Amino acid sequence: MRERFMENGIEYVRCGNCYIPNLTVPECKHEIGKYGRIRKKHLKSNKRCSYSTLLMTGKLFEHLHEVDVQAQKILEQFIEQAEKNAPDKMTQQMAWVGHMNNAKACAEEIILSEIIYI
């Protein structure tokens, strides 16, 4: 009996009396940040079919990276806009901190509802 064979572009390996596909997950070429990890956790626990499809097609890490990039852009836009309307940092430090924290919280709420948990 053969130990390995190819069929339809998939290599099969003998394991006991059966042949199983020799599948591997592609190496991650992208850096996955906070929002990509949150998206991965959401997909894995709530959208198993989408997670499995992305994983088997080798597009999971690319998807997670894209989600992370989109989220960072939204966060940067909110922070940039908040800095334009913020109180003076030198004279009203606590008001400035509160304003910036509020902007970040608003951005994260939008990121989570519009990008991560869809």
Side-chain angles (χ1 to χ4, degrees), residues 11-25:
E11 180 183 26
Y12 290 85
V13 179
R14 184 173 177 200
C15 184
N17 293 336
C18 302
Y19 286 95
I20 59 171
N22 188 17
L23 302 175
T24 59
V25 177

Side-chain angles (χ1 to χ4, degrees), residues 91-106:
T91 58
Q92 300 175 334
Q93 291 178 355
M94 292 307 292
W96 183 86
V97 168
H99 181 77
M100 298 306 286
N101 284 344
N102 187 37
K104 184 177 180 185
C106 289

Side-chain angles (χ1 to χ4, degrees), residues 5 22 31 34 36 42 48 51 68 77 81 92 95 108 114:
F5 71 93
N22 188 17
E31 184 176 324
K34 172 185 175 181
H42 173 70
R48 294 182 190 121
Y51 177 79
D68 203 46
Q77 288 174 351
Q81 188 65 33
Q92 300 175 334
E108 286 198 343
E114 300 292 326

Side-chain angles (χ1 to χ4, degrees), residues 16-86:
N17 293 336
C18 302
Y19 286 95
I20 59 171
N22 188 17
L23 302 175
T24 59
V25 177
E27 203 174 296
C28 180
K29 299 174 186 171
H30 305 287
E31 184 176 324
I32 308 300
K34 172 185 175 181
Y35 300 107
R37 290 190 303 271
I38 294 171
R39 176 70 175 163
K40 180 181 179 185
K41 185 176 180 180
H42 173 70
L43 287 172
K44 201 171 190 179
S45 61
N46 299 313
K47 300 196 175 216
R48 294 182 190 121
C49 185
S50 297
Y51 177 79
S52 296
T53 302
L54 287 168
L55 186 63
M56 286 189 290
T57 59
K59 296 180 181 178
L60 177 65
F61 295 113
E62 184 179 330
H63 171 74
L64 297 176
H65 177 71
E66 183 60 35
V67 165
D68 203 46
V69 167
Q70 288 176 354
Q72 287 298 328
K73 283 181 183 177
I74 290 172
L75 186 61
E76 288 171 7
Q77 288 174 351
F78 264 80
I79 298 297
E80 189 177 297
Q81 188 65 33
E83 286 175 345
K84 292 178 184 175
N85 302 327

